[in-house]
Amino acid sequence: TEDKSYQVERTAVMLLYNLSPAKGVEVARKLIPVSKDKQVGSYIKILARENDPSVKDHCQRLLKKDSWSGRIGAVEALSLLVQQHASEEALEMLKTAAVEQEPWWMRMMVARAMRKIPINESLKSFYMERAQVEEEPQLKKSWERIYQAK
């Protein structure tokens, strides 16, 4: 189980960010190098909301780790960058994660995060392609639902 002090720290940083975004970003930046992946995932989402230039590097690093909580945080942060700041680089990182992440349920997390992104023809084609090539039945259906719903 997770240590309560980590939960308290993460909650405090989020509250600080809600009260003062600049202070929240400052504290999140300081805590990222010394925090566990689960917390880093939360902190990089703060950076993503503010379009901090370091967030993509943090996401890239987390996506390569074994920590599922860190990878999920990275995927959610990238989705925020695309939704709120129209980051093409973040979108390309999500597409790569949708293809490469293992096990399959990590690709499912990517699909869920991408579902929040406004769709265009290029994305619709990407989702259709994923549905065609994906072998895991649940994930295949998820990709189909995304492009059919939009």
Side-chain angles (χ1 to χ4, degrees), residues 47-57 59 74-95 114 117-118 120 123:
L47 300 182
R49 287 185 187 107
E50 298 301 316
N51 204 17
D52 188 273
S54 69
V55 72
K56 291 175 207 143
D57 290 336
C59 289
V75 165
E76 291 172 350
L78 290 170
S79 180
L80 283 170
L81 282 172
V82 176
Q83 292 171 64
Q84 296 179 1
H85 306 289
S87 171
E88 286 296 321
E89 185 181 357
L91 180 58
E92 290 306 312
M93 290 171 73
L94 280 171
K95 287 179 176 180
M114 291 184 81
I117 297 170
N120 58 30
L123 263 181

Side-chain angles (χ1 to χ4, degrees), residues 7 14 17 27 33 62 88 94 104 122 124 128-129 138 145-147:
Q7 292 174 339
M14 291 304 295
Y17 172 72
V27 170
L62 284 172
E88 286 296 321
L94 280 171
W104 73 268
S122 174
K124 187 172 184 173
M128 292 171 79
E129 177 188 317
Q138 283 180 276
R145 281 192 296 263
I146 294 172
Y147 76 76

Side-chain angles (χ1 to χ4, degrees), residues 1-7 10 36 38:
T1 65
E2 185 177 343
D3 187 320
K4 298 287 184 211
S5 64
Y6 294 128
Q7 292 174 339
R10 198 169 53 227
K36 293 185 180 228
K38 182 175 264 191

Side-chain angles (χ1 to χ4, degrees), residues 81-146:
L81 282 172
V82 176
Q83 292 171 64
Q84 296 179 1
H85 306 289
S87 171
E88 286 296 321
E89 185 181 357
L91 180 58
E92 290 306 312
M93 290 171 73
L94 280 171
K95 287 179 176 180
T96 299
V99 173
E100 296 178 355
Q101 284 293 303
E102 291 293 340
W104 73 268
W105 55 264
M106 280 304 305
R107 293 191 307 280
M108 178 71 85
M109 293 294 121
V110 177
R112 288 184 178 157
M114 291 184 81
R115 189 171 36 201
K116 300 172 188 171
I117 297 170
I119 196 167
N120 58 30
E121 284 305 311
S122 174
L123 263 181
K124 187 172 184 173
S125 295
F126 176 78
Y127 297 148
M128 292 171 79
E129 177 188 317
R130 293 308 317 143
Q132 290 173 353
V133 300
E134 183 59 56
E135 294 177 7
E136 175 56 46
Q138 283 180 276
L139 185 49
K140 184 178 199 67
K141 286 180 186 172
S142 185
W143 289 119
E144 288 170 354
R145 281 192 296 263
I146 294 172

